[in-house]
Short mmCIF file of all heavy atoms in Angstrom, two decimals:
data_model
loop_
_atom_site.label_atom_id
_atom_site.label_comp_id
_atom_site.label_asym_id
_atom_site.label_seq_id
_atom_site.Cartn_x
_atom_site.Cartn_y
_atom_site.Cartn_z
N LEU A 77 177.09 -52.95 138.05
CA LEU A 77 175.86 -53.39 137.39
C LEU A 77 174.65 -52.73 138.03
O LEU A 77 173.70 -52.33 137.33
CB LEU A 77 175.74 -54.92 137.48
CG LEU A 77 176.74 -55.72 136.65
CD1 LEU A 77 176.60 -57.21 136.95
CD2 LEU A 77 176.51 -55.47 135.15
N TYR A 78 174.68 -52.60 139.36
CA TYR A 78 173.58 -51.96 140.07
C TYR A 78 173.46 -50.49 139.66
O TYR A 78 172.36 -49.98 139.41
CB TYR A 78 173.81 -52.07 141.59
CG TYR A 78 172.82 -51.28 142.41
CD1 TYR A 78 171.52 -51.75 142.61
CD2 TYR A 78 173.19 -50.04 142.96
CE1 TYR A 78 170.61 -51.00 143.35
CE2 TYR A 78 172.29 -49.31 143.70
CZ TYR A 78 171.00 -49.79 143.89
OH TYR A 78 170.11 -49.06 144.63
N LYS A 79 174.65 -49.83 139.55
CA LYS A 79 174.66 -48.42 139.19
C LYS A 79 174.12 -48.23 137.76
O LYS A 79 173.34 -47.31 137.50
CB LYS A 79 176.09 -47.87 139.30
CG LYS A 79 176.16 -46.36 139.12
CD LYS A 79 177.49 -45.80 139.61
CE LYS A 79 178.63 -46.31 138.72
NZ LYS A 79 179.91 -45.64 139.05
N GLN A 80 174.52 -49.11 136.85
CA GLN A 80 174.03 -49.03 135.48
C GLN A 80 172.51 -49.23 135.42
O GLN A 80 171.80 -48.55 134.68
CB GLN A 80 174.74 -50.07 134.61
CG GLN A 80 176.20 -49.76 134.33
CD GLN A 80 176.88 -50.87 133.57
OE1 GLN A 80 176.23 -51.76 133.04
NE2 GLN A 80 178.21 -50.82 133.53
N ALA A 81 172.04 -50.17 136.23
CA ALA A 81 170.60 -50.44 136.27
C ALA A 81 169.83 -49.22 136.78
O ALA A 81 168.75 -48.89 136.27
CB ALA A 81 170.31 -51.65 137.16
N GLN A 82 170.41 -48.52 137.77
CA GLN A 82 169.77 -47.32 138.30
C GLN A 82 169.73 -46.20 137.26
O GLN A 82 168.74 -45.48 137.13
CB GLN A 82 170.52 -46.84 139.56
CG GLN A 82 170.29 -47.71 140.79
CD GLN A 82 168.82 -47.75 141.18
OE1 GLN A 82 168.20 -46.72 141.40
NE2 GLN A 82 168.26 -48.95 141.28
N ILE A 83 170.82 -46.06 136.52
CA ILE A 83 170.89 -45.04 135.47
C ILE A 83 169.82 -45.30 134.41
O ILE A 83 169.08 -44.41 134.00
CB ILE A 83 172.29 -44.99 134.83
CG1 ILE A 83 173.31 -44.47 135.85
CG2 ILE A 83 172.29 -44.12 133.57
CD1 ILE A 83 174.74 -44.56 135.39
N ILE A 84 169.74 -46.55 133.95
CA ILE A 84 168.76 -46.93 132.94
C ILE A 84 167.35 -46.68 133.45
O ILE A 84 166.48 -46.19 132.72
CB ILE A 84 168.93 -48.41 132.55
CG1 ILE A 84 170.22 -48.60 131.75
CG2 ILE A 84 167.73 -48.92 131.75
CD1 ILE A 84 170.57 -50.05 131.47
N GLU A 85 167.13 -46.96 134.73
CA GLU A 85 165.81 -46.82 135.32
C GLU A 85 165.36 -45.36 135.33
O GLU A 85 164.18 -45.05 135.17
CB GLU A 85 165.80 -47.38 136.74
CG GLU A 85 164.44 -47.38 137.41
CD GLU A 85 163.42 -48.28 136.68
OE1 GLU A 85 163.84 -49.23 136.00
OE2 GLU A 85 162.22 -47.99 136.80
N GLN A 86 166.34 -44.45 135.50
CA GLN A 86 166.01 -43.04 135.65
C GLN A 86 166.00 -42.27 134.33
O GLN A 86 165.56 -41.13 134.29
CB GLN A 86 166.99 -42.37 136.63
CG GLN A 86 166.93 -42.94 138.04
CD GLN A 86 165.53 -42.91 138.63
OE1 GLN A 86 164.83 -41.92 138.51
NE2 GLN A 86 165.13 -44.00 139.27
N ILE A 87 166.50 -42.87 133.25
CA ILE A 87 166.50 -42.19 131.95
C ILE A 87 165.07 -41.94 131.50
O ILE A 87 164.20 -42.81 131.62
CB ILE A 87 167.27 -43.04 130.91
CG1 ILE A 87 168.78 -43.01 131.22
CG2 ILE A 87 167.03 -42.54 129.49
CD1 ILE A 87 169.61 -43.87 130.30
N HIS A 88 164.83 -40.75 130.97
CA HIS A 88 163.47 -40.39 130.55
C HIS A 88 163.04 -41.11 129.27
O HIS A 88 161.85 -41.29 129.03
CB HIS A 88 163.36 -38.88 130.37
CG HIS A 88 163.47 -38.11 131.64
ND1 HIS A 88 162.54 -38.21 132.66
CD2 HIS A 88 164.41 -37.25 132.09
CE1 HIS A 88 162.88 -37.43 133.67
NE2 HIS A 88 164.02 -36.83 133.36
N ASP A 89 163.99 -41.50 128.44
CA ASP A 89 163.64 -42.24 127.23
C ASP A 89 163.17 -43.64 127.61
O ASP A 89 163.51 -44.18 128.67
CB ASP A 89 164.84 -42.35 126.29
CG ASP A 89 165.26 -41.00 125.73
OD1 ASP A 89 164.41 -40.08 125.72
OD2 ASP A 89 166.41 -40.86 125.31
N SER A 90 162.41 -44.24 126.72
CA SER A 90 161.95 -45.61 126.93
C SER A 90 163.06 -46.58 126.56
O SER A 90 163.62 -46.51 125.46
CB SER A 90 160.71 -45.88 126.06
OG SER A 90 160.44 -47.27 126.01
N ILE A 91 163.39 -47.47 127.49
CA ILE A 91 164.38 -48.52 127.22
C ILE A 91 163.73 -49.86 127.49
O ILE A 91 163.33 -50.17 128.62
CB ILE A 91 165.64 -48.36 128.09
CG1 ILE A 91 166.27 -46.98 127.85
CG2 ILE A 91 166.64 -49.47 127.78
CD1 ILE A 91 167.49 -46.71 128.71
N ILE A 92 163.59 -50.65 126.43
CA ILE A 92 162.90 -51.94 126.53
C ILE A 92 163.81 -53.02 125.94
O ILE A 92 164.32 -52.86 124.83
CB ILE A 92 161.57 -51.92 125.75
CG1 ILE A 92 160.67 -50.77 126.23
CG2 ILE A 92 160.84 -53.26 125.89
CD1 ILE A 92 159.46 -50.53 125.34
N SER A 93 163.97 -54.10 126.67
CA SER A 93 164.71 -55.25 126.13
C SER A 93 163.75 -56.42 125.97
O SER A 93 162.78 -56.56 126.71
CB SER A 93 165.89 -55.64 127.02
OG SER A 93 165.42 -56.14 128.26
N THR A 94 164.01 -57.23 124.95
CA THR A 94 163.18 -58.41 124.68
C THR A 94 164.08 -59.61 124.41
O THR A 94 165.28 -59.46 124.17
CB THR A 94 162.27 -58.19 123.45
OG1 THR A 94 163.09 -58.22 122.27
CG2 THR A 94 161.52 -56.88 123.52
N ASP A 95 163.48 -60.79 124.43
CA ASP A 95 164.23 -61.95 123.97
C ASP A 95 164.20 -61.98 122.45
O ASP A 95 163.63 -61.08 121.81
CB ASP A 95 163.69 -63.25 124.58
CG ASP A 95 162.25 -63.54 124.17
OD1 ASP A 95 161.76 -62.97 123.17
OD2 ASP A 95 161.59 -64.35 124.86
N LEU A 96 164.78 -62.98 121.86
CA LEU A 96 164.86 -63.04 120.40
C LEU A 96 163.50 -63.22 119.74
O LEU A 96 163.36 -63.01 118.53
CB LEU A 96 165.80 -64.16 119.98
CG LEU A 96 167.29 -63.95 120.32
CD1 LEU A 96 168.11 -65.17 119.93
CD2 LEU A 96 167.82 -62.71 119.60
N HIS A 97 162.52 -63.61 120.52
CA HIS A 97 161.17 -63.81 119.97
C HIS A 97 160.26 -62.59 120.18
O HIS A 97 159.09 -62.62 119.80
CB HIS A 97 160.52 -65.05 120.61
CG HIS A 97 161.31 -66.30 120.38
ND1 HIS A 97 161.43 -66.90 119.15
CD2 HIS A 97 162.06 -67.05 121.25
CE1 HIS A 97 162.19 -67.98 119.25
NE2 HIS A 97 162.58 -68.10 120.51
N GLY A 98 160.81 -61.54 120.81
CA GLY A 98 160.04 -60.31 120.96
C GLY A 98 159.28 -60.19 122.26
O GLY A 98 158.47 -59.26 122.41
N TYR A 99 159.52 -61.08 123.22
CA TYR A 99 158.82 -60.99 124.51
C TYR A 99 159.60 -60.08 125.45
O TYR A 99 160.83 -60.21 125.59
CB TYR A 99 158.62 -62.38 125.12
CG TYR A 99 157.59 -63.17 124.35
CD1 TYR A 99 157.98 -64.05 123.34
CD2 TYR A 99 156.23 -63.03 124.62
CE1 TYR A 99 157.04 -64.76 122.60
CE2 TYR A 99 155.29 -63.74 123.90
CZ TYR A 99 155.69 -64.60 122.88
OH TYR A 99 154.75 -65.31 122.16
N ILE A 100 158.89 -59.16 126.12
CA ILE A 100 159.52 -58.11 126.92
C ILE A 100 160.18 -58.69 128.17
O ILE A 100 159.55 -59.43 128.94
CB ILE A 100 158.48 -57.05 127.30
CG1 ILE A 100 157.91 -56.39 126.03
CG2 ILE A 100 159.09 -55.99 128.22
CD1 ILE A 100 156.73 -55.47 126.29
N LEU A 101 161.46 -58.30 128.37
CA LEU A 101 162.23 -58.75 129.53
C LEU A 101 162.40 -57.64 130.56
O LEU A 101 162.32 -57.90 131.76
CB LEU A 101 163.60 -59.25 129.09
CG LEU A 101 163.63 -60.43 128.11
CD1 LEU A 101 165.06 -60.72 127.69
CD2 LEU A 101 162.98 -61.67 128.74
N THR A 102 162.69 -56.42 130.11
CA THR A 102 162.89 -55.30 131.04
C THR A 102 162.13 -54.08 130.55
O THR A 102 161.88 -53.91 129.35
CB THR A 102 164.38 -54.93 131.18
OG1 THR A 102 164.89 -54.49 129.91
CG2 THR A 102 165.19 -56.13 131.66
N TRP A 103 161.78 -53.22 131.51
CA TRP A 103 160.91 -52.06 131.24
C TRP A 103 161.28 -50.97 132.23
O TRP A 103 161.10 -51.13 133.43
CB TRP A 103 159.47 -52.51 131.44
CG TRP A 103 158.38 -51.51 131.19
CD1 TRP A 103 157.81 -50.66 132.09
CD2 TRP A 103 157.73 -51.28 129.94
NE1 TRP A 103 156.83 -49.92 131.50
CE2 TRP A 103 156.75 -50.28 130.16
CE3 TRP A 103 157.86 -51.81 128.66
CZ2 TRP A 103 155.92 -49.81 129.16
CZ3 TRP A 103 157.02 -51.35 127.67
CH2 TRP A 103 156.06 -50.36 127.90
N ASN A 104 161.87 -49.87 131.77
CA ASN A 104 162.33 -48.85 132.70
C ASN A 104 161.24 -47.82 133.01
O ASN A 104 160.14 -47.83 132.42
CB ASN A 104 163.60 -48.16 132.18
CG ASN A 104 163.30 -47.19 131.04
OD1 ASN A 104 162.34 -47.39 130.30
ND2 ASN A 104 164.12 -46.16 130.91
N GLN A 105 161.57 -46.89 133.93
CA GLN A 105 160.62 -45.87 134.33
C GLN A 105 160.24 -44.96 133.16
O GLN A 105 159.10 -44.51 133.03
CB GLN A 105 161.21 -45.02 135.47
CG GLN A 105 160.28 -43.96 136.04
CD GLN A 105 159.05 -44.55 136.72
OE1 GLN A 105 159.09 -45.68 137.21
NE2 GLN A 105 157.97 -43.79 136.74
N GLY A 106 161.22 -44.70 132.27
CA GLY A 106 160.95 -43.87 131.10
C GLY A 106 159.88 -44.49 130.20
O GLY A 106 159.05 -43.79 129.60
N SER A 107 159.87 -45.82 130.12
CA SER A 107 158.84 -46.52 129.33
C SER A 107 157.48 -46.34 129.95
O SER A 107 156.48 -46.12 129.24
CB SER A 107 159.17 -48.02 129.24
OG SER A 107 160.41 -48.23 128.60
N GLN A 108 157.44 -46.41 131.29
CA GLN A 108 156.16 -46.23 131.98
C GLN A 108 155.63 -44.81 131.78
O GLN A 108 154.44 -44.61 131.51
CB GLN A 108 156.31 -46.52 133.47
CG GLN A 108 155.00 -46.33 134.25
CD GLN A 108 155.10 -46.81 135.70
OE1 GLN A 108 155.88 -47.71 136.00
NE2 GLN A 108 154.32 -46.19 136.57
N GLU A 109 156.52 -43.81 131.87
CA GLU A 109 156.09 -42.42 131.71
C GLU A 109 155.61 -42.15 130.28
O GLU A 109 154.64 -41.42 130.08
CB GLU A 109 157.25 -41.49 132.06
CG GLU A 109 157.60 -41.50 133.54
CD GLU A 109 158.84 -40.68 133.86
OE1 GLU A 109 159.43 -40.11 132.90
OE2 GLU A 109 159.22 -40.62 135.03
N MET A 110 156.28 -42.74 129.31
CA MET A 110 155.92 -42.50 127.92
C MET A 110 154.67 -43.27 127.51
O MET A 110 153.78 -42.72 126.83
CB MET A 110 157.08 -42.88 126.98
CG MET A 110 156.79 -42.63 125.51
SD MET A 110 158.06 -43.30 124.40
CE MET A 110 159.48 -42.33 124.88
#
């Protein structure tokens, strides 16, 4: 799980997860760069 989290964090694309109501739960480095 840690390794997967690190991979997601380093991906250049934006990866954003939300709850069912649309509130942001996670935000990777690619999201910050974009």
Side-chain angles (χ1 to χ4, degrees):
L77 291 174
Y78 172 77
K79 188 164 66 173
Q80 289 176 13
Q82 287 299 305
I83 292 172
I84 290 173
E85 185 63 25
Q86 297 306 316
I87 289 177
H88 292 295
D89 294 338
S90 166
I91 302 178
I92 305 169
S93 67
T94 72
D95 63 18
L96 292 176
H97 301 290
Y99 289 94
I100 298 171
L101 300 175
T102 63
W103 182 269
N104 75 330
Q105 183 64 27
S107 298
Q108 179 172 331
E109 291 174 0
M110 181 188 296

